[in-house]
Amino acid sequence: MLAQLREQILAGSAEEYLSRLFDRIDRSKLNAFTTLDRENALGQAREFDRSPRKGLMAGIPIAIKDGISTMGIETTCSSRILKGYIPPYDAHVIERLKAEGAIIMGKTNMDEFAMGTSTETSAFGPTRNPWDLQRVPGGSSGGSAACVAAGEAPCSLGSDTGGSVRCPASFCGVVGLKPTYGLVSRYGLIAYANSLEQIGPITRTAEDSAFLLDVIAGHDPRDSTSAPAAAKGRYLDGLDGGVKDLLIGVPDEYFGEGVDPMVEKAVWDSVSVLEGLGATWQRVSLPHTRYALATYYIIAMSECSSNLARFDGLRYGRRPGDDKDWHTTFSEIRSAGFGPEAKRRILLGTYALSAGYYGRYYLKALQVRTLIKQDFERALEKVDLLASATMPFPAFRIGERISDPLSLYMADIFTVPVNLAGVPAISIPCGFADGLPIGLQLIGRPFQESLLLRAAQAYQATTPHHLRTPEVA
Ligand code: GLN
Protein backbone atom coordinates (compact mmCIF):
# COMPACT_ATOMS: atom_id res chain seq x y z
CA MET A 1 0.00 0.00 0.00
CA LEU A 2 2.69 2.55 0.91
CA ALA A 3 4.63 1.73 -2.27
CA GLN A 4 1.46 2.30 -4.33
CA LEU A 5 0.61 5.43 -2.33
CA ARG A 6 4.02 6.88 -3.21
CA GLU A 7 3.29 6.37 -6.91
CA GLN A 8 -0.22 7.83 -6.56
CA ILE A 9 1.10 10.89 -4.77
CA LEU A 10 3.77 11.35 -7.41
CA ALA A 11 1.18 11.08 -10.19
CA GLY A 12 -1.35 13.21 -8.31
CA SER A 13 -0.79 15.71 -5.50
CA ALA A 14 0.78 15.32 -2.06
CA GLU A 15 -1.05 18.44 -0.89
CA GLU A 16 -4.44 17.15 -1.95
CA TYR A 17 -3.89 13.80 -0.28
CA LEU A 18 -2.68 15.39 2.94
CA SER A 19 -5.55 17.90 3.00
CA ARG A 20 -8.00 15.03 2.78
CA LEU A 21 -6.37 13.41 5.81
CA PHE A 22 -6.56 16.64 7.80
CA ASP A 23 -10.24 17.05 6.83
CA ARG A 24 -10.88 13.57 8.11
CA ILE A 25 -9.08 14.31 11.35
CA ASP A 26 -11.08 17.53 11.79
CA ARG A 27 -14.31 15.52 11.64
CA SER A 28 -12.99 12.68 13.80
CA LYS A 29 -14.28 11.72 17.24
CA LEU A 30 -11.25 9.60 18.04
CA ASN A 31 -8.91 12.12 19.72
CA ALA A 32 -5.99 10.29 18.12
CA PHE A 33 -3.75 13.36 17.79
CA THR A 34 -2.23 15.63 20.42
CA THR A 35 -0.69 18.05 17.92
CA LEU A 36 -1.18 18.56 14.20
CA ASP A 37 1.66 20.20 12.30
CA ARG A 38 -0.79 21.26 9.63
CA GLU A 39 0.80 24.40 8.15
CA ASN A 40 4.30 22.97 7.99
CA ALA A 41 3.17 19.63 6.64
CA LEU A 42 0.97 21.21 3.96
CA GLY A 43 3.85 23.54 3.06
CA GLN A 44 6.13 20.55 2.60
CA ALA A 45 3.50 18.78 0.51
CA ARG A 46 3.12 21.87 -1.70
CA GLU A 47 6.88 22.06 -2.08
CA PHE A 48 6.92 18.36 -2.96
CA ASP A 49 4.29 18.88 -5.66
CA ARG A 50 6.42 21.67 -7.16
CA SER A 51 9.64 19.68 -7.17
CA PRO A 52 9.18 16.01 -6.21
CA ARG A 53 11.95 14.54 -4.11
CA LYS A 54 13.25 11.03 -4.35
CA GLY A 55 13.18 8.61 -1.45
CA LEU A 56 11.34 5.57 -0.17
CA MET A 57 8.79 7.73 1.64
CA ALA A 58 8.64 10.53 -0.92
CA GLY A 59 5.56 12.65 -0.18
CA ILE A 60 4.06 10.10 2.24
CA PRO A 61 2.59 11.55 5.45
CA ILE A 62 3.21 9.78 8.75
CA ALA A 63 1.86 10.25 12.30
CA ILE A 64 4.32 10.01 15.20
CA LYS A 65 3.72 8.96 18.80
CA ASP A 66 4.12 11.96 21.09
CA GLY A 67 6.96 10.30 23.00
CA ILE A 68 9.29 10.58 19.99
CA SER A 69 11.20 13.87 19.70
CA THR A 70 10.34 16.00 16.68
CA MET A 71 12.33 19.16 16.10
CA GLY A 72 10.07 22.22 16.21
CA ILE A 73 6.92 20.22 17.05
CA GLU A 74 5.63 20.10 20.61
CA THR A 75 6.41 16.73 22.21
CA THR A 76 4.61 16.07 25.49
CA CYS A 77 4.43 12.29 26.07
CA SER A 78 0.77 13.19 26.77
CA SER A 79 1.89 14.61 30.11
CA ARG A 80 1.14 18.00 31.64
CA ILE A 81 4.74 18.21 32.84
CA LEU A 82 6.02 18.49 29.26
CA LYS A 83 3.33 20.90 28.03
CA GLY A 84 5.01 23.42 25.77
CA TYR A 85 8.22 21.44 25.32
CA ILE A 86 9.51 21.79 21.77
CA PRO A 87 12.52 19.56 21.12
CA PRO A 88 15.50 21.27 19.50
CA TYR A 89 16.41 18.07 17.65
CA ASP A 90 14.90 15.10 15.82
CA ALA A 91 14.95 11.50 17.01
CA HIS A 92 17.02 9.18 14.82
CA VAL A 93 13.87 7.67 13.31
CA ILE A 94 12.59 11.13 12.38
CA GLU A 95 15.89 11.98 10.69
CA ARG A 96 15.62 8.73 8.73
CA LEU A 97 11.99 9.42 7.72
CA LYS A 98 12.82 12.94 6.60
CA ALA A 99 15.86 11.74 4.67
CA GLU A 100 13.51 9.45 2.72
CA GLY A 101 11.08 12.29 1.99
CA ALA A 102 8.32 11.55 4.56
CA ILE A 103 6.05 14.36 5.81
CA ILE A 104 5.47 14.45 9.58
CA MET A 105 1.76 15.30 9.92
CA GLY A 106 1.48 15.43 13.70
CA LYS A 107 1.86 13.73 17.06
CA THR A 108 -0.40 11.03 18.40
CA ASN A 109 -2.03 10.54 21.78
CA MET A 110 -0.60 7.99 24.19
CA ASP A 111 -0.69 6.88 27.78
CA GLU A 112 1.27 9.39 29.87
CA PHE A 113 4.96 8.57 29.36
CA ALA A 114 3.82 5.32 27.66
CA MET A 115 2.62 3.89 30.97
CA GLY A 116 -0.56 2.05 30.21
CA THR A 117 -2.50 -0.33 28.03
CA SER A 118 -5.48 1.81 27.07
CA THR A 119 -4.41 5.43 26.32
CA GLU A 120 -6.63 6.45 29.24
CA THR A 121 -3.75 7.86 31.32
CA SER A 122 -3.15 10.63 28.74
CA ALA A 123 -3.44 14.20 30.03
CA PHE A 124 -5.34 14.92 26.79
CA GLY A 125 -8.12 12.46 27.55
CA PRO A 126 -8.53 8.99 26.08
CA THR A 127 -8.35 8.10 22.41
CA ARG A 128 -11.37 6.12 21.23
CA ASN A 129 -11.36 2.83 19.38
CA PRO A 130 -12.55 3.36 15.77
CA TRP A 131 -14.45 0.04 15.87
CA ASP A 132 -16.48 1.11 18.90
CA LEU A 133 -16.17 4.63 20.27
CA GLN A 134 -17.05 3.47 23.79
CA ARG A 135 -13.94 1.27 23.87
CA VAL A 136 -10.23 1.89 24.32
CA PRO A 137 -7.86 1.67 21.34
CA GLY A 138 -5.27 -0.14 23.47
CA GLY A 139 -2.06 1.48 24.55
CA SER A 140 0.19 3.04 25.07
CA SER A 141 0.47 3.98 21.36
CA GLY A 142 -3.35 4.19 21.08
CA GLY A 143 -3.43 7.31 18.93
CA SER A 144 -0.93 5.84 16.46
CA ALA A 145 -3.01 2.68 15.96
CA ALA A 146 -6.42 4.38 15.95
CA CYS A 147 -5.44 6.94 13.30
CA VAL A 148 -4.13 4.24 10.93
CA ALA A 149 -7.19 2.02 11.46
CA ALA A 150 -9.53 4.94 10.78
CA GLY A 151 -7.71 6.13 7.66
CA GLU A 152 -6.53 9.37 9.28
CA ALA A 153 -2.90 8.49 8.46
CA PRO A 154 -1.45 5.87 6.10
CA CYS A 155 1.11 4.76 8.70
CA SER A 156 2.54 5.74 12.05
CA LEU A 157 5.26 5.07 14.58
CA GLY A 158 4.71 3.88 18.13
CA SER A 159 7.01 2.63 20.85
CA ASP A 160 6.80 -0.72 22.61
CA THR A 161 8.18 -1.18 26.12
CA GLY A 162 5.88 -4.01 27.11
CA GLY A 163 3.41 -4.23 24.24
CA SER A 164 2.61 -0.63 23.39
CA VAL A 165 2.82 -1.12 19.63
CA ARG A 166 1.31 -4.61 19.49
CA CYS A 167 -1.57 -4.07 21.95
CA PRO A 168 -3.14 -1.09 20.17
CA ALA A 169 -2.47 -2.73 16.79
CA SER A 170 -4.40 -5.75 18.04
CA PHE A 171 -7.30 -3.70 19.49
CA CYS A 172 -7.60 -1.51 16.38
CA GLY A 173 -7.15 -4.23 13.72
CA VAL A 174 -3.85 -3.08 12.23
CA VAL A 175 -0.27 -4.39 12.03
CA GLY A 176 2.24 -3.49 14.75
CA LEU A 177 5.87 -4.58 14.88
CA LYS A 178 8.20 -4.54 17.90
CA PRO A 179 11.71 -4.88 16.50
CA THR A 180 14.56 -6.77 18.19
CA TYR A 181 16.09 -4.70 20.99
CA GLY A 182 18.83 -2.60 19.38
CA LEU A 183 17.62 -2.75 15.77
CA VAL A 184 16.03 0.72 15.80
CA SER A 185 17.84 3.57 17.52
CA ARG A 186 16.21 4.94 20.67
CA TYR A 187 17.97 8.29 20.22
CA GLY A 188 15.26 10.90 20.74
CA LEU A 189 12.70 8.49 22.17
CA ILE A 190 11.78 9.92 25.56
CA ALA A 191 12.71 7.08 27.87
CA TYR A 192 10.23 5.13 29.97
CA ALA A 193 12.21 1.89 30.53
CA ASN A 194 15.36 1.92 28.39
CA SER A 195 16.29 -1.74 28.64
CA LEU A 196 12.92 -2.85 27.25
CA GLU A 197 11.75 -0.42 24.60
CA GLN A 198 11.91 -0.11 20.84
CA ILE A 199 10.24 2.16 18.32
CA GLY A 200 8.10 0.23 15.82
CA PRO A 201 5.89 0.77 12.76
CA ILE A 202 2.07 0.62 12.79
CA THR A 203 0.57 -0.03 9.36
CA ARG A 204 -2.30 -1.76 7.57
CA THR A 205 -0.21 -4.58 6.08
CA ALA A 206 2.90 -6.67 6.73
CA GLU A 207 4.37 -5.31 3.52
CA ASP A 208 4.03 -1.74 4.80
CA SER A 209 5.60 -2.79 8.07
CA ALA A 210 8.63 -4.09 6.13
CA PHE A 211 8.63 -0.88 4.11
CA LEU A 212 8.80 1.33 7.22
CA LEU A 213 11.27 -0.92 9.01
CA ASP A 214 13.60 -0.59 6.00
CA VAL A 215 13.52 3.16 6.63
CA ILE A 216 13.91 3.33 10.42
CA ALA A 217 16.21 0.37 11.27
CA GLY A 218 19.97 0.69 11.31
CA HIS A 219 22.99 1.50 13.42
CA ASP A 220 23.22 4.81 15.27
CA PRO A 221 26.27 5.60 17.42
CA ARG A 222 24.17 7.96 19.58
CA ASP A 223 22.31 4.98 21.09
CA SER A 224 24.81 2.88 23.02
CA THR A 225 22.57 -0.19 22.66
CA SER A 226 22.24 0.19 18.88
CA ALA A 227 23.08 -3.05 17.03
CA PRO A 228 25.86 -3.11 14.41
CA ALA A 229 24.88 -2.13 10.87
CA ALA A 230 25.09 -5.77 9.73
CA ALA A 231 22.11 -6.68 11.94
CA LYS A 232 19.78 -4.79 9.63
CA GLY A 233 18.07 -6.82 6.93
CA ARG A 234 16.41 -5.82 3.68
CA TYR A 235 12.88 -6.33 4.82
CA LEU A 236 11.01 -5.92 1.56
CA ASP A 237 13.21 -8.53 -0.12
CA GLY A 238 12.00 -12.10 0.20
CA LEU A 239 8.68 -11.01 1.66
CA ASP A 240 6.80 -13.39 -0.64
CA GLY A 241 8.87 -16.44 0.27
CA GLY A 242 5.91 -18.21 1.93
CA VAL A 243 5.92 -20.39 5.05
CA LYS A 244 6.56 -23.88 3.64
CA ASP A 245 9.89 -24.25 5.40
CA LEU A 246 8.69 -22.91 8.76
CA LEU A 247 8.09 -24.74 12.02
CA ILE A 248 5.79 -22.80 14.32
CA GLY A 249 5.75 -23.26 18.10
CA VAL A 250 2.54 -22.73 20.04
CA PRO A 251 3.34 -21.98 23.71
CA ASP A 252 1.25 -24.02 26.16
CA GLU A 253 1.34 -21.26 28.77
CA TYR A 254 -0.34 -18.75 26.43
CA PHE A 255 -3.74 -20.43 26.51
CA GLY A 256 -6.32 -21.12 29.18
CA GLU A 257 -7.54 -19.13 32.15
CA GLY A 258 -8.25 -15.47 31.49
CA VAL A 259 -8.12 -15.81 27.70
CA ASP A 260 -11.34 -15.10 25.80
CA PRO A 261 -12.43 -18.33 24.01
CA MET A 262 -13.11 -16.35 20.83
CA VAL A 263 -9.53 -15.11 20.91
CA GLU A 264 -8.18 -18.63 21.45
CA LYS A 265 -10.24 -19.91 18.55
CA ALA A 266 -8.96 -17.15 16.26
CA VAL A 267 -5.36 -18.05 17.15
CA TRP A 268 -5.88 -21.77 16.44
CA ASP A 269 -7.66 -20.91 13.19
CA SER A 270 -4.64 -18.83 12.21
CA VAL A 271 -2.28 -21.68 12.98
CA SER A 272 -4.45 -23.84 10.71
CA VAL A 273 -4.25 -21.22 7.97
CA LEU A 274 -0.45 -21.25 8.20
CA GLU A 275 -0.50 -25.04 8.22
CA GLY A 276 -2.65 -24.96 5.10
CA LEU A 277 0.07 -22.84 3.50
CA GLY A 278 2.66 -25.51 4.20
CA ALA A 279 4.02 -24.64 7.63
CA THR A 280 4.20 -27.21 10.41
CA TRP A 281 3.57 -26.60 14.09
CA GLN A 282 4.19 -28.12 17.48
CA ARG A 283 3.51 -27.25 21.10
CA VAL A 284 6.33 -25.65 23.06
CA SER A 285 6.74 -24.52 26.65
CA LEU A 286 7.82 -21.16 28.09
CA PRO A 287 7.87 -22.32 31.72
CA HIS A 288 8.64 -18.99 33.42
CA THR A 289 5.70 -17.14 31.84
CA ARG A 290 3.87 -16.83 35.16
CA TYR A 291 6.68 -14.66 36.54
CA ALA A 292 6.76 -12.36 33.52
CA LEU A 293 4.29 -9.70 34.69
CA ALA A 294 5.88 -9.22 38.12
CA THR A 295 9.36 -9.19 36.56
CA TYR A 296 8.38 -6.72 33.87
CA TYR A 297 6.59 -4.29 36.16
CA ILE A 298 9.41 -4.23 38.73
CA ILE A 299 12.02 -3.54 36.04
CA ALA A 300 9.87 -1.06 34.10
CA MET A 301 8.88 0.90 37.20
CA SER A 302 12.45 0.93 38.56
CA GLU A 303 13.78 2.29 35.28
CA CYS A 304 10.96 4.83 34.99
CA SER A 305 11.51 6.17 38.51
CA SER A 306 15.05 7.01 37.52
CA ASN A 307 14.20 8.27 34.01
CA LEU A 308 11.41 10.55 35.17
CA ALA A 309 13.64 12.23 37.79
CA ARG A 310 14.81 14.63 35.07
CA PHE A 311 11.36 16.21 34.77
CA ASP A 312 11.51 18.97 37.33
CA GLY A 313 9.97 21.79 35.31
CA LEU A 314 13.32 23.58 35.29
CA ARG A 315 14.86 22.07 32.19
CA TYR A 316 11.82 20.94 30.19
CA GLY A 317 8.27 22.16 29.84
CA ARG A 318 6.53 24.92 31.76
CA ARG A 319 7.16 25.94 35.33
CA PRO A 320 3.87 26.80 37.02
CA GLY A 321 3.61 29.18 39.99
CA ASP A 322 6.25 31.20 41.85
CA ASP A 323 9.66 29.94 42.80
CA LYS A 324 9.97 28.93 46.42
CA ASP A 325 12.70 26.91 48.11
CA TRP A 326 14.00 24.07 45.97
CA HIS A 327 12.09 21.24 47.64
CA THR A 328 8.75 23.03 47.57
CA THR A 329 9.14 24.16 43.96
CA PHE A 330 10.25 20.72 42.85
CA SER A 331 7.39 18.88 44.54
CA GLU A 332 4.75 21.43 43.47
CA ILE A 333 5.83 21.08 39.86
CA ARG A 334 5.91 17.29 39.95
CA SER A 335 2.65 16.99 41.91
CA ALA A 336 0.85 19.14 39.36
CA GLY A 337 2.70 17.78 36.32
CA PHE A 338 2.40 14.01 36.66
CA GLY A 339 -0.85 12.05 36.54
CA PRO A 340 -1.76 9.29 39.02
CA GLU A 341 -0.29 6.36 37.05
CA ALA A 342 3.09 8.07 36.56
CA LYS A 343 3.15 8.91 40.28
CA ARG A 344 2.25 5.36 41.26
CA ARG A 345 5.07 3.98 39.14
CA ILE A 346 7.64 6.50 40.36
CA LEU A 347 6.77 5.56 43.96
CA LEU A 348 6.82 1.79 43.37
CA GLY A 349 10.00 1.96 41.29
CA THR A 350 11.79 4.10 43.86
CA TYR A 351 10.75 1.61 46.53
CA ALA A 352 12.03 -1.36 44.49
CA LEU A 353 15.40 0.36 44.05
CA SER A 354 15.80 1.56 47.63
CA ALA A 355 18.47 0.26 49.98
CA GLY A 356 17.32 -2.93 51.67
CA TYR A 357 14.77 -3.76 48.97
CA TYR A 358 16.98 -3.58 45.87
CA GLY A 359 18.15 -7.17 46.25
CA ARG A 360 14.70 -8.45 47.08
CA TYR A 361 12.92 -6.85 44.12
CA TYR A 362 15.04 -5.27 41.39
CA LEU A 363 17.94 -7.70 41.47
CA LYS A 364 15.58 -10.65 41.73
CA ALA A 365 13.63 -9.36 38.74
CA LEU A 366 16.85 -9.14 36.70
CA GLN A 367 17.61 -12.76 37.57
CA VAL A 368 14.15 -13.93 36.55
CA ARG A 369 14.46 -11.89 33.37
CA THR A 370 17.41 -14.09 32.41
CA LEU A 371 15.30 -17.21 32.95
CA ILE A 372 12.53 -15.80 30.76
CA LYS A 373 15.06 -14.95 28.07
CA GLN A 374 16.37 -18.51 28.24
CA ASP A 375 12.80 -19.85 27.81
CA PHE A 376 12.66 -18.06 24.46
CA GLU A 377 16.16 -19.14 23.44
CA ARG A 378 15.32 -22.79 24.11
CA ALA A 379 11.96 -22.67 22.36
CA LEU A 380 13.36 -20.82 19.36
CA GLU A 381 16.14 -23.38 18.99
CA LYS A 382 13.46 -25.92 18.16
CA VAL A 383 11.01 -23.81 16.17
CA ASP A 384 11.36 -20.88 13.78
CA LEU A 385 8.71 -18.70 15.36
CA LEU A 386 6.05 -18.70 18.05
CA ALA A 387 2.35 -17.97 17.57
CA SER A 388 -0.06 -16.71 20.24
CA ALA A 389 -2.73 -14.13 20.84
CA THR A 390 -1.39 -10.60 21.20
CA MET A 391 -3.93 -9.70 23.90
CA PRO A 392 -6.02 -12.14 25.94
CA PHE A 393 -9.24 -10.34 25.01
CA PRO A 394 -10.52 -7.72 22.54
CA ALA A 395 -10.73 -3.99 23.37
CA PHE A 396 -12.49 -3.28 26.67
CA ARG A 397 -14.73 -0.32 27.54
CA ILE A 398 -13.32 3.09 28.44
CA GLY A 399 -13.36 3.29 32.24
CA GLU A 400 -13.77 -0.46 32.72
CA ARG A 401 -10.30 -1.21 34.05
CA ILE A 402 -8.58 2.10 34.75
CA SER A 403 -9.49 2.16 38.45
CA ASP A 404 -7.98 -1.31 38.94
CA PRO A 405 -4.34 -1.02 37.80
CA LEU A 406 -3.60 -4.68 38.42
CA SER A 407 -6.31 -5.82 36.01
CA LEU A 408 -4.80 -3.50 33.39
CA TYR A 409 -1.28 -4.86 34.01
CA MET A 410 -2.59 -8.43 33.62
CA ALA A 411 -3.70 -7.67 30.07
CA ASP A 412 -0.01 -7.50 29.08
CA ILE A 413 0.68 -11.15 29.84
CA PHE A 414 1.55 -12.17 26.25
CA THR A 415 3.38 -9.01 25.26
CA VAL A 416 5.78 -8.22 28.14
CA PRO A 417 7.80 -11.49 27.97
CA VAL A 418 8.90 -10.50 24.45
CA ASN A 419 10.40 -7.23 25.72
CA LEU A 420 12.09 -8.97 28.64
CA ALA A 421 13.71 -11.34 26.13
CA GLY A 422 14.51 -8.59 23.61
CA VAL A 423 13.19 -10.64 20.69
CA PRO A 424 11.07 -9.29 17.79
CA ALA A 425 7.30 -9.76 17.52
CA ILE A 426 4.49 -8.64 15.23
CA SER A 427 0.75 -8.38 15.77
CA ILE A 428 -1.52 -8.90 12.75
CA PRO A 429 -5.32 -8.88 12.50
CA CYS A 430 -6.60 -12.48 12.66
CA GLY A 431 -10.35 -12.20 13.17
CA PHE A 432 -13.16 -10.46 15.01
CA ALA A 433 -15.12 -11.08 18.19
CA ASP A 434 -18.50 -9.33 18.22
CA GLY A 435 -17.19 -6.80 15.72
CA LEU A 436 -13.94 -6.11 17.59
CA PRO A 437 -10.55 -6.99 16.04
CA ILE A 438 -8.36 -9.79 17.40
CA GLY A 439 -4.57 -9.81 16.98
CA LEU A 440 -2.28 -12.75 16.27
CA GLN A 441 1.22 -12.38 17.71
CA LEU A 442 4.18 -13.95 15.92
CA ILE A 443 7.46 -13.95 17.87
CA GLY A 444 10.85 -14.60 16.27
CA ARG A 445 14.55 -15.03 16.92
CA PRO A 446 16.67 -11.91 17.42
CA PHE A 447 17.11 -9.96 14.19
CA GLN A 448 14.90 -12.33 12.21
CA GLU A 449 12.29 -9.70 11.44
CA SER A 450 12.42 -10.80 7.79
CA LEU A 451 11.10 -14.21 8.71
CA LEU A 452 8.30 -12.75 10.87
CA LEU A 453 7.28 -10.39 8.10
CA ARG A 454 7.36 -13.19 5.54
CA ALA A 455 4.98 -15.30 7.68
CA ALA A 456 2.72 -12.29 8.28
CA GLN A 457 2.67 -11.51 4.57
CA ALA A 458 1.78 -15.13 3.67
CA TYR A 459 -1.04 -15.02 6.23
CA GLN A 460 -2.40 -11.73 4.91
CA ALA A 461 -2.24 -12.94 1.31
CA THR A 462 -4.90 -15.56 2.12
CA THR A 463 -7.00 -13.89 4.84
CA PRO A 464 -9.34 -10.87 4.64
CA HIS A 465 -9.16 -9.55 8.24
CA HIS A 466 -6.73 -6.69 7.54
CA LEU A 467 -8.91 -5.47 4.67
CA ARG A 468 -11.92 -4.72 6.87
CA THR A 469 -12.18 -1.11 7.93
CA PRO A 470 -14.27 0.43 10.73
CA GLU A 471 -17.42 2.30 9.77
CA VAL A 472 -17.19 5.05 12.37
CA ALA A 473 -14.98 8.11 12.10
N1 GLN B 1 1.24 -1.71 29.34
C1 GLN B 1 2.64 -1.75 29.60
C2 GLN B 1 3.00 -0.74 30.65
O1 GLN B 1 2.13 -0.09 31.09
C3 GLN B 1 3.42 -1.51 28.33
C4 GLN B 1 3.56 -0.11 27.97
C5 GLN B 1 4.51 0.12 26.83
O2 GLN B 1 4.85 -0.78 26.08
N2 GLN B 1 4.99 1.35 26.74
O3 GLN B 1 4.11 -0.61 31.05
Side-chain angles (χ1 to χ4, degrees), residues 65 113-117 139-140 159-165 192 197 296-297 300 345 408-409 412 416 419:
K65 184 177 186 176
F113 284 104
M115 298 169 182
T117 307
S140 64
S159 67
D160 190 311
T161 312
S164 279
V165 162
Y192 157 24
E197 56 211 6
Y296 167 81
Y297 274 99
R345 294 189 187 206
L408 259 185
Y409 300 166
D412 300 337
V416 297
N419 301 72

Side-chain angles (χ1 to χ4, degrees), residues 187-371:
Y187 178 77
L189 170 65
I190 298 177
Y192 157 24
N194 325 39
S195 80
L196 297 159
E197 56 211 6
Q198 277 289 287
I199 295 169
I202 298 179
T203 56
R204 298 287 304 268
T205 64
E207 183 186 324
D208 286 355
S209 192
F211 190 95
L212 259 189
L213 191 62
D214 266 333
V215 174
I216 62 170
H219 181 68
D220 173 19
R222 295 166 301 185
D223 170 358
S224 63
T225 59
S226 176
K232 179 180 189 295
R234 293 168 60 94
Y235 303 104
L236 277 171
D237 295 354
L239 204 56
D240 294 317
V243 293
K244 280 201 171 61
D245 54 334
L246 298 186
L247 176 55
I248 298 166
V250 183
D252 280 334
E253 293 80 1
Y254 284 32
F255 293 85
E257 209 195 314
V259 189
D260 184 320
M262 282 161 96
V263 170
E264 285 204 353
K265 182 176 180 308
V267 173
W268 284 117
D269 287 349
S270 310
V271 173
S272 302
V273 167
L274 292 167
E275 196 178 16
L277 294 171
T280 44
W281 69 272
Q282 68 177 53
R283 288 176 176 274
V284 293
S285 175
L286 300 168
H288 296 93
T289 301
R290 65 195 155 120
Y291 303 115
L293 281 172
T295 305
Y296 167 81
Y297 274 99
I298 289 172
I299 294 174
M301 289 181 190
S302 299
E303 291 186 21
C304 98
S305 71
S306 151
N307 278 324
L308 266 49
R310 65 172 67 94
F311 301 109
D312 51 13
L314 308 180
R315 285 165 292 183
Y316 311 93
R318 279 200 206 123
R319 188 187 329 187
D322 304 326
D323 288 352
K324 301 182 182 117
D325 67 275
W326 191 84
H327 273 295
T328 315
T329 307
F330 186 74
S331 53
E332 276 181 5
I333 287 168
R334 285 170 68 88
S335 301
F338 288 128
E341 186 59 26
K343 283 178 187 155
R344 178 179 299 121
R345 294 189 187 206
I346 293 169
L347 286 173
L348 288 170
T350 306
Y351 179 81
L353 289 177
S354 59
Y357 294 99
Y358 179 87
R360 212 185 290 173
Y361 296 111
Y362 183 65
L363 214 57
K364 196 68 154 190
L366 289 186
Q367 288 164 338
V368 182
R369 180 177 190 174
T370 304
L371 296 175

